[in-house]
Amino acid sequence: MSSAIDKVEENVFKLSSNKLKHNETLPNAQVLNAHGCTGGNVSPQLSWNNPPLNTKSFAIICHDPDAPKENGWYHWLVVNIPISTRNIEQGEKITGSLETITDFKTTGYGGACPPIGHGIHHYHFTIYALDVENLDVNENNNPVEVEKKVVSHSLAKSTITGLFERK
């Protein structure tokens, strides 16, 4: 018999992944392959369900607030994800979406590679349900500005946090 709490959980906007586990070490596939790191440098598989009723699109942001840089480090920003999309496979580009520049100064996913000895970094992979079909941004907009626009149109969000450290 299901409880009221189970019923609420069934209707919550939730991000999940078959590889990323919340508050556990990132898989090597999501680590950068440069600057002394030897990962796969591919975006993770992600899926989400139960968006709020008035959702018109989605956005994904991967951010490391622990990076030794003002505003942290933006690893991935994807906006204008169609409402019909509920899954992205590892390394996949989402048809109809827009990837904006990251702090690597390129579009697309850039993996984890914190400074050696800087401690554990937290990589927040967040899906946002938005109240607009398209955000007024282009691929060259500053990541902080893109995030501000995403947050200003957000109806709900869900996050998986991956951890990574270089000793």
Side-chain angles (χ1 to χ4, degrees):
M1 181 175 204
S2 67
S3 69
I5 292 173
D6 292 335
K7 294 217 180 290
V8 169
E9 285 292 317
E10 290 172 8
N11 296 314
V12 172
F13 183 52
K14 183 149 178 66
L15 180 64
S16 59
S17 175
N18 61 16
K19 298 287 184 195
L20 290 181
K21 303 298 178 208
H22 188 63
N23 285 331
E24 292 186 15
T25 300
L26 285 175
N28 194 56
Q30 278 69 65
V31 174
L32 189 68
N33 189 6
H35 308 295
C37 290
T38 56
N41 199 43
V42 294
S43 59
Q45 180 279 332
L46 299 171
S47 57
W48 52 94
N49 56 25
N50 300 316
L53 186 59
N54 294 317
T55 302
K56 296 183 178 167
S57 70
F58 300 102
I60 297 170
I61 297 176
C62 177
H63 180 251
D64 170 11
D66 305 312
K69 173 185 176 294
E70 185 178 0
N71 300 312
W73 193 272
Y74 290 87
H75 288 262
W76 192 30
L77 299 100
V78 188
V79 299
N80 304 340
I81 300 170
I83 187 65
S84 60
T85 303
R86 300 297 163 87
N87 182 65
I88 178 173
E89 294 302 322
Q90 181 170 286
E92 179 183 19
K93 303 283 187 195
I94 302 171
T95 303
S97 69
L98 172 68
E99 292 185 326
T100 64
I101 61 166
T102 67
D103 282 314
F104 291 105
K105 305 296 183 216
T106 60
T107 60
Y109 179 81
C113 189
I116 293 172
H118 200 258
I120 295 173
H121 282 226
H122 298 77
Y123 296 85
H124 301 295
F125 291 84
T126 303
I127 183 81
Y128 294 85
L130 306 180
D131 64 1
V132 294
E133 280 185 43
N134 292 294
L135 283 178
D136 183 23
V137 298
N138 66 56
E139 72 175 19
N140 294 312
N141 282 115
N142 175 292
V144 172
E145 294 303 314
V146 173
E147 183 180 49
K148 284 180 183 174
K149 287 191 178 194
V150 166
V151 169
S152 74
H153 287 282
S154 179
L155 299 169
K157 67 180 183 175
S158 181
T159 301
I160 296 173
T161 300
L163 309 175
F164 193 71
E165 176 179 19
R166 291 175 66 203
K167 295 181 180 184

